[in-house]
Amino acid sequence: MPTDVEEWKDEIYGTDIRDHIERFAEDGWESIPDDEKDAWFERFKWYGLYHQRAGQESYFMMRIGPPSGVLEPGQFRRIVEIADEYARGPVSNPEFGNGWLDVTTRQAIQLHWIRIEDVPDIFEALEDVGLSTVQACGDSWRNIVGCPVAGKDKHEHVDAQGLADDLHDTFKKNEAHSNLPRKWKVSVTGCDEGCGQGDINDLAFEPAEKEVDGETVTGYNVRVGGGLARNEPRFAKNIDVFVTPEQAVEVAGGISALFRDHGDRENRYKARIKFLVDEWGAEKLRNVLQEEYIDFELETAGEDLRHSYSYNAGDADGKHDHVGVHEQTDGNNYIGLNVLVGRLGIDDGYEIADAAEEHASGEVRLTQRQNIILTDVPDDEVDALLDNPVFDEYSPDPHPFQRGSIACTGSEFCSLSIVETKNRQVRFSRWLVDNVSLPEGVEDFHIHLSGCTASCAQPQIADVSLRGMKTRKDGEPVEALDIGLGGGLGENPQFASWVADRVPADEVPGAIENLLGNFDDARRDGESFREFVAARDDEELADLVEPEETSYEDPFLHNTKRTWYPYAEEDGFDDSPAPARADGTPIPSDD
Amino acid sequence: MTIALRTLDDGAWISVNDSREVGVSDIWTLPAREFCGCETPHVMLEGFSGVDLRGVDTHVIADAVGMCIDCGTRDGIESLPVGRIVEGEFKRYEPESVQSPSVAAVSGR
């Protein structure tokens, strides 16, 4: 039996939704019929609008997805301007003020506190500079991720940006691929460092070479079925297919159509293609793809570059991220800047846009580690650009604890999250910087905090993985975190082992301090943290995590989901100003 | 009267007549030893997988995944009463009260 969501999608989905958004915007929030709200909010996702959680009714998150995170000159500034005008909340956040943009782990930008009445004007402002929110959420082709420095990178093997753009242009607003059983996440990697993170995507193109008709051809190997959500993490499986860049779009379309036709539309919890890969295996998937969806004979997989992957790969040589000043192929430089937990204030955004336009091309790129990159900086402009005080905070040389921190949206706005995340991760990193020394030689240390098992912060591929939970402390329920260790990507990716459950959040910084101390005491010469974890069983690792109260104070231990907004002075649901009309005045309840 | 019941957003909450009524992350009290070995299991719900109406009292029951915050047992929960329909309106049960199909049916809440 099809789900309600499938029935709603059958009625109206894809580009047809736009007219209805315009209609509701014109007539106001209250014009959305009460008995149609679930259906419309599900459909709005296709246009990148996600209704915020309980207590914040009538406010939306808006997601803008540029392929591979590339924001051309002028686009970043436009997003900052939109955030400035439309993304202000009823109250401030104690760490971030009121007005910001969030860089996501899929190289997109999220704005919050958006009102339906403002959406047409925002769409117009985005489209004016070539941006869009189309398919940023919902059951379709999500933002295509990939090497954020494609086209400028010395490590590039094949032009990933060209393919990412072709896929974006082909499969956005494409009726045949608009309504899939579930979200569809695609990655294109072109470099020998693996920064596209293809292993955790539904469909991954990875650089490869293949001898075809006596000639060595450059292209991609294809993997299918990766994903991290719902305690069911999978790495994408090699389906033994090599494609040239010219063939890649057709093969992507074939696999998307296969998912459309064979994915589970009766159970959304088993709908992702990773479950179809579980059921069929890679060989059957390849056979069905060849027989039913592709008109030419597929090549078997070529020789890949996975042996050299260094991105988020523990202690391998090469880059672990894009932070810092790096030379481009054209002699200019790109500068990777740390954006702690991905949140960037509006005033800072203007400063960064100004600096990028004055000292470089004005292009800004987004990374899967929630950071930004300014490209095309001439040698003689690097120092002048970095002299701007804004880059003290958004630094090209941050402390490893801040460089390595990722956090999802959390209970601030998200329905699914169990705990507060972004403010907490900022406080964690601040305390760790002030109180904990990293062992000798450890320059990269990734701590990912996800509020729940949806894994939007990609916790399973971090050195220290933190996942929202609850526990009891001093007789009271408190927000807590499960702790996992030793995850990462690279040639042989590894999910973290969950070794400590339900650690009260205020004891987590102490646990990390003790863990690093124990690691320093017990490691062999030069042993990386990931190697150290891999050499031990979970029981032994659990003994090395010693949760402990420290000078760290956590103001969010209470149940932040039982608030309308965790940082409001009056935070009870009854105190919520939502739902609100376009001017912010609360709409009285019928009760 | 038709009651529209569904779980949405990856099982983050239960919708009753297009209104978000019950969400994840609350801690529900279950009958002694029914979920785990704890004398009184306190189970944090991580996600809902289904919702339905049952009985003449029109209890709203949910299938969910949860974890006991005291002992760490994680398991599925079937038919957890989360509220009832009274004159067409949803009345949510308090998670802190002991919930079970039998307890809820006789409690008259």
Side-chain angles (χ1 to χ4, degrees):
Chain A
M1 183 175 162
T3 62
D4 286 343
V5 174
E6 284 298 324
E7 290 184 3
W8 297 332
K9 292 193 300 180
D10 278 347
E11 290 168 11
I12 299 169
Y13 210 53
T15 53
D16 291 345
I17 299 166
R18 176 73 175 259
D19 285 346
H20 296 276
I21 291 175
E22 305 265 357
R23 174 168 61 90
F24 292 132
E26 177 73 22
D27 297 339
W29 160 261
E30 291 162 281
S31 69
I32 305 172
D34 284 344
D35 60 353
E36 296 178 15
K37 281 193 163 69
D38 286 354
W40 285 116
F41 297 157
E42 192 64 38
R43 293 175 182 132
F44 287 177
K45 293 175 185 173
W46 200 89
Y47 267 99
L49 289 169
Y50 210 112
H51 195 208
Q52 290 180 188
R53 73 166 172 86
Q56 301 168 4
E57 285 77 9
S58 77
Y59 291 98
F60 292 84
M61 178 272 283
M62 174 181 280
R63 187 179 293 156
I64 303 153
S68 296
V70 177
L71 293 169
E72 295 165 4
Q75 292 183 334
F76 177 74
R77 177 181 294 281
R78 179 57 56 88
I79 295 172
V80 175
E81 290 168 348
I82 290 169
D84 191 3
E85 187 166 357
Y86 300 107
R88 307 273 189 182
V91 296
S92 286
N93 177 307
E95 291 289 345
F96 302 102
N98 195 343
W100 60 78
L101 30 141
D102 283 343
V103 180
T104 79
T105 52
R106 289 194 66 77
Q107 295 172 292
I109 284 181
Q110 293 183 173
L111 308 178
H112 289 94
W113 301 118
I114 299 295
R115 302 168 197 283
I116 189 73
E117 293 87 350
D118 294 327
V119 168
D121 288 343
I122 298 173
F123 281 174
E124 194 174 319
L126 288 170
E127 287 159 5
D128 181 49
V129 294
L131 288 169
S132 169
T133 64
V134 164
Q135 290 163 255
C137 313
D139 293 345
S140 188
W141 281 69
R142 298 293 189 85
N143 193 38
I144 294 153
V145 299
C147 301
V149 288
K152 302 177 188 292
D153 186 13
K154 289 188 154 185
H155 293 270
E156 191 160 77
H157 176 77
V158 58
D159 178 15
Q161 191 59 41
L163 177 55
D165 287 340
D166 287 347
L167 294 172
H168 178 91
D169 294 344
T170 304
F171 296 109
K172 294 285 185 175
K173 295 188 180 179
N174 180 326
E175 198 169 343
H177 300 269
S178 280
N179 178 0
L180 301 179
R182 203 68 175 80
K183 62 181 79 170
W184 183 242
K185 295 180 172 179
V186 178
S187 164
V188 183
T189 302
C191 69
D192 60 17
E193 295 175 316
C195 64
Q197 299 199 137
D199 283 320
I200 57 170
N201 281 263
D202 295 298
L203 170 61
F205 290 96
E206 297 205 300
E209 285 183 352
K210 171 95 177 166
E211 193 166 306
V212 180
D213 299 331
E215 281 188 34
T216 300
V217 179
T218 300
Y220 301 92
N221 283 347
V222 181
R223 288 177 181 248
V224 178
L228 300 177
R230 298 189 71 82
N231 284 326
E232 301 261 18
R234 305 278 192 284
F235 290 120
K237 289 192 170 59
N238 182 356
I239 64 164
D240 195 22
V241 169
F242 171 86
V243 294
T244 64
E246 294 73 29
Q247 296 168 329
V249 172
E250 183 176 345
V251 170
I255 300 173
S256 171
L258 181 154
F259 176 52
R260 177 194 64 208
D261 299 341
H262 295 278
D264 189 340
R265 290 184 186 264
E266 297 190 353
N267 182 352
R268 292 183 63 76
Y269 306 114
K270 293 289 182 185
R272 295 284 293 275
I273 200 170
K274 64 186 177 185
F275 297 110
L276 190 63
V277 175
D278 284 354
E279 184 185 335
W280 283 8
E283 188 178 344
K284 178 176 175 181
L285 189 139
R286 188 191 197 281
N287 290 340
V288 174
L289 176 69
Q290 177 71 80
E291 289 165 15
E292 298 182 22
Y293 295 96
I294 299 296
D295 291 334
F296 62 89
E297 185 162 356
L298 293 165
E299 296 285 349
T300 57
E303 189 173 339
D304 64 37
L305 306 177
R306 291 176 67 89
H307 60 279
S308 64
Y309 281 9
S310 61
Y311 190 81
N312 193 19
D315 219 7
D317 293 334
K319 295 204 301 288
H320 300 266
D321 57 31
H322 296 89
V323 175
V325 180
H326 303 275
E327 189 178 2
Q328 296 178 181
T329 49
D330 63 0
N332 286 324
N333 303 277
Y334 71 81
I335 303 180
L337 301 164
N338 188 58
V339 183
L340 185 57
V341 301
R343 186 161 286 181
L344 196 151
I346 286 171
D347 291 343
D348 299 332
Y350 282 122
E351 292 280 338
I352 291 169
D354 288 345
E357 288 162 12
E358 183 178 348
H359 299 287
S361 65
E363 184 182 74
V364 177
R365 299 189 176 197
L366 316 172
T367 83
Q368 293 189 62
R369 297 200 57 78
Q370 298 183 324
N371 293 322
I372 63 171
I373 297 168
L374 308 185
T375 58
D376 312 321
V377 188
D379 282 344
D380 57 4
E381 293 285 348
V382 170
D383 289 343
L385 185 150
L386 293 176
D387 272 349
N388 190 313
V390 76
F391 299 120
D392 293 341
E393 180 175 353
Y394 304 93
S395 170
D397 186 25
H399 189 286
F401 282 129
Q402 299 195 314
R403 181 175 186 150
S405 290
I406 285 180
C408 71
T409 297
S411 63
E412 181 176 15
F413 298 113
C414 176
S415 294
L416 199 52
S417 184
I418 292 164
V419 300
E420 205 283 339
T421 53
K422 283 201 190 283
N423 287 33
R424 179 170 275 142
Q425 182 78 322
V426 168
R427 296 173 68 92
F428 280 0
S429 71
R430 192 182 294 146
W431 188 88
L432 290 168
V433 168
D434 289 344
N435 293 280
V436 179
S437 299
L438 277 159
E440 190 180 335
V442 177
E443 294 172 357
D444 291 276
F445 195 73
H446 294 170
I447 304 174
H448 297 190
L449 169 53
S450 213
C452 70
T453 59
S455 302
C456 298
Q458 304 171 348
Q460 298 96 327
I461 55 167
D463 295 306
V464 172
S465 315
L466 304 175
R467 181 175 63 191
M469 193 43 65
K470 293 259 177 76
T471 193
R472 190 178 304 283
K473 177 167 180 165
D474 301 329
E476 296 295 322
V478 295
E479 295 198 353
L481 299 170
D482 291 340
I483 298 179
L485 303 177
L489 297 178
E491 181 179 11
N492 298 302
Q494 178 69 44
F495 293 129
S497 296
W498 296 101
V499 301
D501 296 334
R502 307 184 327 281
V503 176
D506 63 335
E507 298 179 25
V508 168
I512 295 172
E513 179 182 30
N514 291 333
L515 169 69
L516 284 170
N518 290 329
F519 163 59
D520 202 17
D521 290 343
R523 71 192 293 210
R524 297 190 309 272
D525 283 347
E527 190 176 31
S528 74
F529 184 76
R530 188 164 162 189
E531 290 165 343
F532 178 85
V533 171
R536 284 160 177 79
D537 63 28
D538 287 359
E539 200 171 331
E540 192 177 353
L541 292 168
D543 290 340
L544 302 178
V545 180
E546 300 173 275
E548 183 181 19
E549 287 185 9
T550 60
S551 59
Y552 170 81
E553 293 181 2
D554 195 305
F556 312 114
L557 278 181
H558 62 298
N559 185 349
T560 54
K561 284 294 280 296
R562 298 302 298 163
T563 68
W564 76 269
Y565 192 58
Y567 328 110
E569 203 161 309
E570 303 292 331
D571 64 3
F573 281 111
D574 290 343
D575 302 306
S576 170
R581 297 195 175 91
D583 63 1
T585 56
I587 298 169
S589 162
D590 291 337
D591 297 339
Chain B
M1 176 181 292
T2 302
I3 305 294
L5 286 174
R6 55 183 71 98
T7 64
L8 284 170
D9 291 352
D10 282 345
W13 46 281
I14 291 171
S15 168
V16 184
N17 289 337
D18 286 63
S19 175
R20 295 187 283 203
E21 297 292 356
V22 185
V24 296
S25 88
D26 279 339
I27 296 164
W28 291 74
T29 308
L30 301 188
R33 303 192 187 284
E34 193 164 282
F35 181 83
C36 57
C38 292
E39 187 61 41
T40 304
H42 294 94
V43 179
M44 191 206 66
L45 300 190
E46 296 180 72
F48 297 103
S49 53
V51 62
D52 207 346
L53 281 175
R54 187 185 59 197
V56 291
D57 290 336
T58 55
H59 295 284
V60 177
I61 55 170
D63 296 338
V65 172
M67 177 180 273
C68 174
I69 65 165
D70 294 308
C71 73
T73 297
R74 173 183 272 130
D75 206 348
I77 307 166
E78 291 185 359
S79 304
L80 174 71
V82 294
R84 65 188 298 186
I85 305 295
V86 179
E87 296 176 353
E89 297 283 320
F90 177 75
K91 303 294 182 188
R92 177 188 143 114
Y93 294 153
E94 288 305 314
E96 295 79 10
S97 304
V98 177
Q99 311 289 332
S100 78
S102 56
V103 171
V106 300
S107 66
R109 285 172 302 187

